[in-house]
Amino acid sequence: MEVLVQKFGGTSVQTAENRIHVINHIKDGIDSNYKIVVVVSALGRKPDPYATDTLLDLVSFPAHYNSNRELDLLMSCGEIISSVLLTNDLKRHNISSIALTGAQAGFVTSDDFTKAKIKQVHPERIQHEFETHDVIVITGFQGGTKRGEITTIGRGGSDTTAAAIGASLEAERIEIFTDVSGIMTADPRVVAQARSLDIVTYDEICNLAYQGAKVVHPRAVEIAMQARIPMRVRSTYSMAPGTLVTLSKMRESNINDSRQLMTGIAHMSEITQIRVEMKDEAHDHQSSVFKAMAEAGISVDFINISPTSVVYTIPHTLTDKAIHILESMDYNPGITRHCAKVSAVGAGMAGVPGVASKIVGALTNKGVQILQSADSHTTIWVLIHDKDLKVAVNALHDVFGLGYEFNHGQE
Ligand code: ADP
Ligand code: MG
């Protein structure tokens, strides 16, 4: 029995019309003799009536009450609705199918409500259902604790559900269906010239995803990579194969992508930059700042340390909390709100000289101020003002020739 996992995002299952495309992909899998696990997200995006954020707007628990358990119960309904609607459609197409919640499908999680960790996946129930059904529709983004509490695993969690069930069932392939043609050289909402990639490595997409390319959740990529299961990111609305995510580009294909320096540009906004001037040169002052941030659960990024100051970034939503902590430590932090991080990712750039200067040149040419930068052998990050985001991402996309026109010129 070969199993295929097909995950459909919120817009893909939103309307009966869209679900016709979903059914076509499922039928295609059945016709190729697969048993199919379908993972669904909640219908649409806010303000659509059953989207996760719309459900959350229904309640406003008092601030002193820890409502996470109830929020998980509420949020889990979105995917349950989707799973039933899709099963209804499948039955009407005479496809034998059954809907299961995450807990019913064997997902055991920790009890960290709203951000639970998948502890185990017990595939027995699904394997049993495959004796009588071709398709098992399971709710993404959720599971249950050993005690039977319903939990959710964090935003983008349906991708992780798909990867985890794929690993547990040793699936042939995990397919992530969404509203774009595949993994692209940049977010097509920001870069009109963005091009769909035929093949990327797990490392590259994981890196892009951690840097903000939310087309697939990085945790899902890690799980697929560890289990060595190929992943495809594809459009729901076409039969095109989309992007293959695999271990090595060379082995799987003779496409000369690997000669390219850069794979893609990712971005992330809503970041605050914090600068703390040290009162004297005692070395433990610097570490005390980061210790205080860690204790408050504030994740820091873009750290630059000098003898006289520390500079770092945090998510915008935690700005007031961080200021409060630093002031209580007698610091007077410099705050720059509304920053964005742009990352140029490419395994091909390791050791290639001149990449950083190309980036700096492209940005300064367009009048984009660089607030901070950092690099590793596969990624260069720059911090800029949010208002410059679109110009900056497009400038980097152009300077590395990632768009369509460049590639036609190369052929
Ligand atoms: P779904 O609901 O199907 O999970 P998401 O909104 O989570 O959909 O992810 C798809 C979106 O990711 C696309 O509509 C696109 O705007 C965005 N995106 C960001 N970066 C990229 C990228 N590099 N390639 C493709 N899409 C991207
Ligand atoms: Mg998604």
Side-chain angles (χ1 to χ4, degrees), residues 133-381:
H133 298 99
D134 287 331
V135 181
I136 321 285
V137 182
I138 70 172
T139 58
F141 167 68
Q142 57 185 271
T145 67
K146 276 195 172 137
R147 290 176 45 227
E149 298 281 27
I150 289 178
T151 52
T152 68
I153 61 172
R155 290 310 171 85
S158 294
D159 296 339
T160 308
T161 301
I165 200 67
S168 159
L169 292 166
E170 296 177 6
E172 183 85 356
R173 193 163 67 239
I174 298 160
E175 300 189 318
I176 306 288
F177 287 91
T178 185
D179 60 356
V180 287
S181 55
I183 296 169
M184 304 180 78
T185 49
D187 187 339
R189 284 183 234 189
V190 176
V191 179
Q193 301 296 317
R195 181 174 53 93
S196 204
L197 298 161
D198 293 324
I199 185 163
V200 298
T201 65
Y202 294 108
D203 277 339
E204 285 171 327
I205 180 56
C206 206
N207 205 345
L208 278 168
Y210 270 118
Q211 303 310 331
K214 60 169 271 203
V215 60
V216 54
H217 196 283
R219 185 75 195 110
V221 180
E222 282 171 359
I223 293 171
M225 176 166 71
Q226 276 157 15
R228 304 204 162 213
I229 299 179
M231 194 173 226
R232 269 195 183 280
V233 178
R234 312 176 50 178
S235 166
T236 301
Y237 311 105
S238 101
M239 295 314 268
T243 306
L244 176 66
V245 185
T246 180
L247 275 177
S248 142
K249 286 196 252 198
M250 294 307 286
R251 233 191 21 224
E252 305 280 341
S253 141
N254 53 20
I255 300 163
N256 250 332
D257 259 352
S258 64
R259 266 194 305 180
Q260 277 188 7
L261 212 55
M262 210 52 86
T263 306
I265 314 293
H267 68 273
M268 205 186 269
S269 41
E270 314 232 317
I271 293 173
T272 296
Q273 186 194 43
I274 298 187
R275 173 182 299 276
V276 186
E277 302 296 335
M278 294 293 115
K279 283 168 283 196
D280 55 46
E281 291 195 11
H283 66 280
D284 60 336
H285 284 196
Q286 293 156 333
S287 62
S288 67
V289 167
F290 294 117
K291 196 163 165 242
M293 294 296 125
E295 277 167 6
I298 300 175
S299 63
V300 302
D301 192 14
F302 253 124
I303 302 170
N304 279 141
I305 299 179
S306 76
T308 54
S309 69
V310 296
V311 184
Y312 60 94
T313 61
I314 60 168
H316 156 77
T317 47
L318 299 172
T319 308
D320 290 340
K321 191 172 174 185
I323 294 174
H324 181 75
I325 292 167
L326 291 165
E327 284 176 350
S328 73
M329 293 167 78
D330 233 13
Y331 289 115
N332 180 20
I335 305 290
T336 309
R337 292 177 201 256
H338 308 301
C339 299
K341 180 184 183 183
V342 179
S343 310
V345 173
M349 76 188 202
V352 177
V355 180
S357 77
K358 220 170 166 175
I359 289 182
V360 174
L363 294 179
T364 42
N365 263 346
K366 297 279 181 188
V368 174
Q369 189 190 4
I370 301 174
L371 302 170
Q372 245 179 295
S373 72
D375 65 272
S376 77
H377 62 296
T378 58
T379 310
I380 296 185
W381 301 268

